[in-house]
Amino acid sequence: MEFSRLKPVWKKLGIFALRLMVFLFIAGPMYWMINTSFKPENEWVTFPPIWFPKEFTIDNYIMLFNPAALADKFHISLESAWPALLNSTIISVFATISCMVIGTMCAYSISRFRVGGNFFPMSILALRMFPPIAVALPILVLFSTLQLRDTYLGMVIAYACFNLPFSVWMMKSFIDDIPLELEEAAIIDGMTQIGAMLKVTIPLVKAGIAATALFIFILCWSEFLFAFILTDTEVATITVRLARYTTDTGEMYGARAALGVIATVPPVVIGYLIQNYLVRGLTFGAIKR
């Protein structure tokens, strides 16, 4: 009898412990990155570790955007992080837009007209199942031959093509949940098929578009392999810049952590701005009406 009374308590404690472990697993690295970004050089790597900066400093952030100001202090010569941030923004935004436009049209054709048959959607997804390293060398040779390497156009094409399967599959699931009868009623009222799609279906799946666009943007923003092999100096992205904070004196953990903190801001801000659409998009179709 007493055990049966204690059972709900142990269950709640177990769930709480599990949630706490998940939270620490996610928040722990984030805290350590933010913590390191405000540490001076002598506190980057210590044993025992320093959990809070003893000498709070913003030199790591200054090093990112005005490295010349600290060249004498660290006796190193680094490039500004501004070009990398700009390159990542341009490439990720245009790749996301391209991916969403093409992916939405492809998803609509599959959902409404069963283009390609029953196996076509799975064939598209199978393209994304290849490990990126397996196609890295052919893509490098192709882009070098077409003179697309180290260009904005080449990076946008690469990111859009590589993430297109995700866009198609996610948008198809959202469009499938929109009753076909709504489009048929619009066509009867005089709209064309394209007009019904643009004025009826697309507005109804805008929450799904927001959720998919954020997902694609994060994939583009955080991608490293293709950025590493397809860029050199002109359009190097923020992920490539992170890997270059290595000097003759060692690893620049503070600058790398500071750039990592800044790199997390755009996805978080965009997610916050579209949070209403994001929640609706992630739960869209969960309850059939």
Side-chain angles (χ1 to χ4, degrees), residues 193-207:
Q193 185 71 52
I194 296 178
M197 179 189 71
L198 295 177
K199 296 182 180 181
V200 177
T201 304
I202 297 301
L204 291 174
V205 296
K206 59 184 179 182

Side-chain angles (χ1 to χ4, degrees), residues 19-81:
R19 290 177 176 175
L20 181 61
M21 291 175 59
V22 172
F23 173 78
L24 293 177
F25 181 78
I26 297 174
M30 284 295 299
Y31 169 76
W32 192 254
M33 181 175 65
I34 297 173
N35 180 35
T36 304
S37 71
F38 292 106
K39 287 180 179 179
E41 185 178 8
N42 61 340
E43 296 182 12
W44 290 349
V45 182
T46 60
F47 185 83
I50 299 175
W51 296 98
F52 191 80
K54 295 180 180 179
E55 301 176 17
F56 190 88
T57 179
I58 60 171
D59 283 352
N60 297 318
Y61 291 90
I62 297 176
M63 192 187 306
L64 295 181
F65 303 111
N66 189 17
L70 299 175
D72 295 335
K73 179 178 179 180
F74 289 95
H75 304 289
I76 56 175
S77 177
L78 295 174
E79 299 177 0
S80 173

Side-chain angles (χ1 to χ4, degrees), residues 44 53 75-76 86 112 117 123 161 167 212 218 224 246 258 271 274 282:
W44 290 349
H75 304 289
I76 56 175
L86 180 62
R112 292 297 189 247
S123 301
C161 292
S167 176
T212 305
I218 292 175
F224 173 74
T246 302
I274 64 172
L282 294 176

Side-chain angles (χ1 to χ4, degrees), residues 64 68 74 79 88 94-95 137 140 146 148 151 155 212 240 283:
L64 295 181
F74 289 95
E79 299 177 0
S88 287
F94 281 96
L137 183 58
L140 174 60
L146 298 176
L148 291 174
T151 63
M155 290 300 297
T212 305
V240 176
T283 59

Side-chain angles (χ1 to χ4, degrees), residues 88 91 128 130-141 143 149-150 154-155 158-159 162-163 218-232 235-244:
S88 287
I91 293 170
R128 191 57 176 82
F130 282 99
I133 193 65
V135 295
L137 183 58
I139 289 178
L140 174 60
V141 174
F143 277 52
R149 188 176 182 274
D150 206 22
M155 290 300 297
Y159 280 6
F162 198 68
N163 293 311
I218 292 175
L219 290 178
C220 295
W221 183 264
S222 60
E223 203 281 328
F224 173 74
L225 178 62
F226 287 135
F228 181 72
I229 66 174
L230 295 180
T231 65
D232 188 12
V235 296
T237 62
I238 195 171
T239 53
V240 176
R241 189 75 190 97
L242 275 167
R244 291 178 179 173

